[in-house]
Amino acid sequence: MRDPEVLVRFRPSGREAYVLPGVRLIEAAAEVDLIVLSPCGGEGTCGKCRVRVASGVTEPNPVERRWLSADELATGWRLACQTSVAGPMDVDIPAASRSGEHQILVRTESPTEPPADDPPVRTQPFEVAPPRRGDDAPDSLRLERTLNQEPLEMDLPLLRELTDRLQSMAYRGTAVLAGHRLLDLEPDDAATDALAVALDIGTTTLVGELLYQRTGESLAIEARLNPQTRFGDDVLSRILYARQNDDGLEQLQQAVVEAVNEMIATLCRKADVSQRHVYNVTLAGNTTMQQLLCGVDVRPLGQLPFTPASARAMNCRAVELGLDVHPRAIAYVMPVIGGFVGGDTVAGLLATGLADADGPAMLVDIGTNGEIVLQANGRLWAASTAAGPAFEGARISCGMRGCDGAIEKVVVADGRLHIGVIGNAAPAGVCGSGLIDAAAELLRHGILSPQGQLLAADQTPVDTPPDLVRRLQFDPQGKPIFVLAEPSESAEGRAIALTQRDFRELQLAAGAMRAGAILLLRRAGLRSDQLGEVLIAGGFGNFIRRSNAERIGLLPQRLEHHRIRYVGNASLAGARRGALSQQARQAAEQLARRTEHVDLSTDPDFQEAFADAMIFP
Ligand code: FES
């Protein structure tokens, strides 16, 4: 006999899931497409998946007792990864625990691409002579001659239809070709040109753009959260998931492929075109994301020496990836530089032209991971650091991603602290840019020491504004905190405060980025003030304020502000180039091969540089 399923009602969305008793709340929510934040991948080590069980609450387990106060437990707060469904439940998922309305950077520096004269997929009108006595050349050969494509290759299913198709088209139409391969025949009056989709497959977010293959015109753009976040927020937790579960790789691949298919469907709906006309899909992501999307084993990326399966670009059929486009559409996945410097960085290099910059220049991509590429005297060095968790809100006590309810701006003006909240909502937590702002302001006012120590109210400089002094309080364990929003001002009725540990996490993240930059500069024998330009890319990079990023030491020091330039979503911009030009694809391959991968974890100077960079400048 089957166990009866029970109803779990989620609020405020009103979605209802019927699940078997024993299913964890985080899984029940995922069944109805509600993604609860789970930076630790449901291991119970981050405390970020807080939900309030309004009815049907069960006894908390020891992990929940560790993360939640007695008051919170008494009022139904639980961790969605720890609480299992025992009977019907009503569950509130607060904004701070939802992954839904993420602020996603879709903008690229150059919104349109000039048409390339060597597109990977091209259309060619044709008119071929019907077969007749005296010319018994096969249909494919007559077409080959007409198209001037020798030898013309085609799949068996297309060959099977060729004679009928030519006949029904009265021997004229438009051929769609990828190199010498015939992908399909379109009628002469085909209203739609061949389409291409460029995709940025980020650890946290997915962004797709629909393009006319021939003109490069952008038809629509679409973004959403990477549903793999339910398996963990960073690449390592997803690799771990793939390692620990027999069908983990399959689940991870399926999740992202489904999301990409939904995006493609939405893009085509927005542009009022048919998915069947998408002949080319070009993808850029970090090494792990690319391998997961392709269903390639990621386990070696989780252990020394972090070896990718392939460094070269991958060319295959879109259908082999499970993509819902033309059945013979081609797919291109960017080449990678190393285990943690992937196709998104190559795409960024392609889009920004860093390799051809006049003087020394640096590309800094601050996403869930941080990647840095330095160009000097024609040489390229690239490194990656685990910068992202703090900037994405993970490992920060009140941290959340940049979505509605996140404090994203902190300013001290006229002696008072002002906060900016995304969506103009009541604050529910703080995201990366808010954290950087807060740290920079506290450093300026001498409340946070260069060593990262948060002072107590009675230790502050005499001229500290009273509004800042009153925000220096103690948590129930007697540890100093800085309150950004009082319980009465916040969405969940609890104070939003930064702890000493939060500032340590920020020091670690910013220090890792800066140490990486310093070591690359050292390889090139350069000082930071010799950099002609620093390009900031990535979802998070565009929301940070230059002076504050510099104040906390996230960016190289002694740089004039005009040398720092935000370049938007460079990964998407590079994928777009790759979608439109063969030459761009060749350039991507060359860039990937000539970039020297610097493994910071084995660099003997890294620990010292990191320790130095941990001190706020
Ligand atoms: Fe639940 Fe991390 S504690 S996901």
Side-chain angles (χ1 to χ4, degrees):
M1 202 177 79
R2 283 189 59 196
D3 281 326
E5 290 182 325
V6 293
L7 170 66
V8 183
R9 210 177 287 127
F10 291 101
R11 305 188 305 203
S13 67
R15 291 190 202 170
E16 297 181 341
Y18 286 88
V19 295
L20 289 172
V23 166
R24 295 185 302 163
L25 279 180
I26 202 165
E27 292 156 350
E31 282 202 12
V32 284
D33 286 333
L34 292 170
I35 308 297
V36 178
L37 282 185
S38 54
C40 70
E43 296 279 309
T45 55
C46 73
K48 294 286 175 199
C49 57
R50 296 160 48 97
V51 296
R52 199 178 73 84
V53 183
S55 71
V57 72
T58 52
E59 276 300 299
N61 72 10
V63 176
E64 290 171 309
R65 286 186 197 283
R66 201 166 63 237
W67 283 105
L68 300 163
S69 69
D71 271 2
E72 288 171 327
L73 291 169
T75 47
W77 287 95
R78 295 289 184 272
L79 297 181
C81 72
Q82 300 296 316
T83 287
S84 297
V85 176
M89 278 178 160
D90 285 298
V91 181
D92 293 326
I93 308 181
S97 304
R98 284 199 297 266
S99 290
E101 310 84 4
H102 192 66
Q103 209 179 40
I104 299 175
L105 182 69
V106 297
R107 196 173 59 77
T108 57
E109 196 178 31
S110 49
T112 51
E113 218 51 65
D117 52 14
D118 61 343
V121 170
R122 63 193 192 285
T123 47
Q124 194 174 333
F126 69 87
E127 188 165 354
V128 67
R132 58 182 167 78
R133 281 198 171 183
D135 181 5
D136 60 354
D139 288 335
S140 65
L141 202 59
R142 293 201 320 286
L143 190 60
E144 180 177 300
R145 284 191 202 131
T146 307
L147 295 172
N148 204 11
Q149 290 300 328
E150 292 170 23
L152 186 68
E153 298 158 6
M154 71 186 83
D155 284 1
L156 185 58
L158 183 57
L159 181 66
R160 285 185 184 133
E161 298 173 357
L162 187 66
T163 301
D164 279 356
R165 295 274 300 277
L166 284 172
Q167 246 175 34
S168 65
M169 296 167 80
Y171 297 95
R172 50 184 297 167
T174 301
V176 185
L177 297 144
H180 284 277
R181 180 161 289 272
L182 181 67
L183 300 182
D184 210 347
L185 301 172
E186 295 281 4
D188 197 22
D189 61 350
T192 312
D193 194 355
L195 302 166
V197 170
L199 284 153
D200 164 34
I201 308 294
T203 309
T204 307
T205 53
L206 309 172
V207 187
E209 187 170 17
L210 181 69
L211 307 155
Y212 270 137
Q213 179 70 81
R214 195 165 46 87
T215 62
E217 185 191 338
S218 172
L219 295 173
I221 199 151
E222 176 70 10
R224 65 183 57 200
L225 206 78
N226 187 337
Q228 289 177 343
T229 48
R230 70 170 180 263
F231 302 100
D233 264 15
D234 54 29
V235 293
L236 286 177
S237 46
R238 291 187 213 165
I239 294 170
L240 194 68
Y241 189 85
R243 185 180 269 177
Q244 290 177 337
N245 296 276
D246 286 346
D247 61 346
L249 175 64
E250 207 181 313
Q251 284 187 49
L252 285 155
Q253 187 199 16
Q254 226 171 36
V256 69
V257 167
E258 269 173 27
V260 167
N261 277 334
E262 282 166 20
M263 284 171 79
I264 293 174
T266 309
L267 286 168
C268 291
R269 209 168 35 244
K270 277 186 181 172
D272 194 21
V273 294
S274 161
Q275 274 171 257
R276 215 195 133 278
H277 285 115
V278 176
Y279 281 99
N280 168 10
V281 183
T282 299
L283 305 122
N286 64 51
T287 311
T288 307
M289 290 306 108
Q290 290 192 172
Q291 288 199 193
L292 284 175
L293 190 130
C294 295
V296 174
D297 188 4
V298 288
R299 286 173 302 178
L301 292 172
Q303 61 202 37
L304 276 166
F306 312 114
T307 315
S310 163
R312 302 250 176 234
M314 201 193 58
N315 288 284
C316 68
R317 305 287 166 86
V319 75
E320 291 175 72
L321 300 178
L323 299 181
D324 204 358
V325 288
H326 188 283
R328 284 180 290 277
I330 58 167
Y332 172 85
V333 185
M334 283 279 169
V336 308
I337 296 167
F340 288 105
V341 188
D344 49 354
T345 302
V346 176
L349 286 175
L350 195 60
T352 57
L354 188 90
D356 304 317
D358 282 341
M362 188 176 268
L363 172 65
V364 181
D365 189 335
I366 311 169
T368 311
N369 262 350
E371 286 99 19
I372 311 160
V373 188
L374 172 66
Q375 184 278 131
N377 301 320
R379 281 179 75 179
L380 289 162
W381 294 267
S384 72
T385 70
F391 300 134
E392 297 275 347
R395 299 192 203 144
I396 302 299
S397 55
C398 280
M400 64 186 283
R401 294 211 192 103
C403 58
D404 280 357
I407 297 175
E408 57 105 19
K409 187 187 261 179
V410 178
V411 182
V412 177
D414 305 326
R416 296 193 65 79
L417 183 121
H418 304 269
I419 56 171
V421 182
I422 299 175
N424 244 342
V430 59
C431 67
S433 58
L435 177 66
I436 290 174
D437 279 3
E441 288 291 16
L442 297 191
L443 281 163
R444 273 187 205 114
H445 286 85
I447 296 174
L448 189 65
S449 76
Q451 288 71 29
Q453 192 200 343
L454 184 63
L455 302 189
D458 59 0
Q459 299 171 315
T460 55
V462 280
D463 55 349
T464 308
D467 184 47
L468 299 189
V469 176
R470 86 170 169 84
R471 291 172 185 273
L472 284 164
Q473 301 175 14
F474 292 98
D475 70 7
Q477 286 76 43
K479 298 203 177 118
I481 54 170
F482 183 81
V483 176
L484 293 173
E486 296 287 354
S488 58
E489 302 163 323
S490 82
E492 292 171 28
R494 62 174 182 138
I496 296 169
L498 294 170
T499 66
Q500 180 66 71
R501 230 181 105 192
D502 296 338
F503 291 114
R504 287 269 177 266
E505 287 292 341
L506 180 66
Q507 276 179 298
L508 286 170
M513 286 298 285
R514 195 146 61 98
I518 288 168
L519 289 185
L520 292 194
L521 284 165
R522 216 177 268 173
R523 294 229 169 181
L526 290 173
R527 297 184 315 270
S528 60
D529 60 358
Q530 291 175 293
L531 286 170
E533 207 170 27
V534 174
L535 308 176
I536 312 283
F540 162 74
N542 274 49
F543 300 108
I544 58 175
R545 276 156 282 282
R546 254 177 277 215
S547 56
N548 287 349
E550 208 180 336
R551 181 66 195 85
I552 67 151
L554 177 60
L555 296 179
Q557 301 296 293
R558 296 192 300 277
L559 258 185
E560 292 151 42
H561 279 188
H562 70 268
R563 297 197 196 174
I564 301 172
R565 184 155 62 91
Y566 292 109
V567 294
N569 187 337
S571 171
L572 178 67
R576 195 202 287 147
R577 291 214 175 166
L580 297 176
S581 157
Q582 292 280 26
Q583 223 179 349
R585 292 181 174 193
Q586 279 156 18
E589 195 70 60
Q590 282 162 10
L591 285 167
R593 298 291 64 83
R594 62 179 267 224
T595 303
E596 297 168 47
H597 185 207
V598 178
D599 181 355
L600 293 178
S601 64
T602 58
D603 189 308
D605 295 336
F606 181 72
Q607 282 315 327
E608 197 191 325
F610 186 34
D612 287 349
M614 284 275 290
I615 309 287
F616 288 125

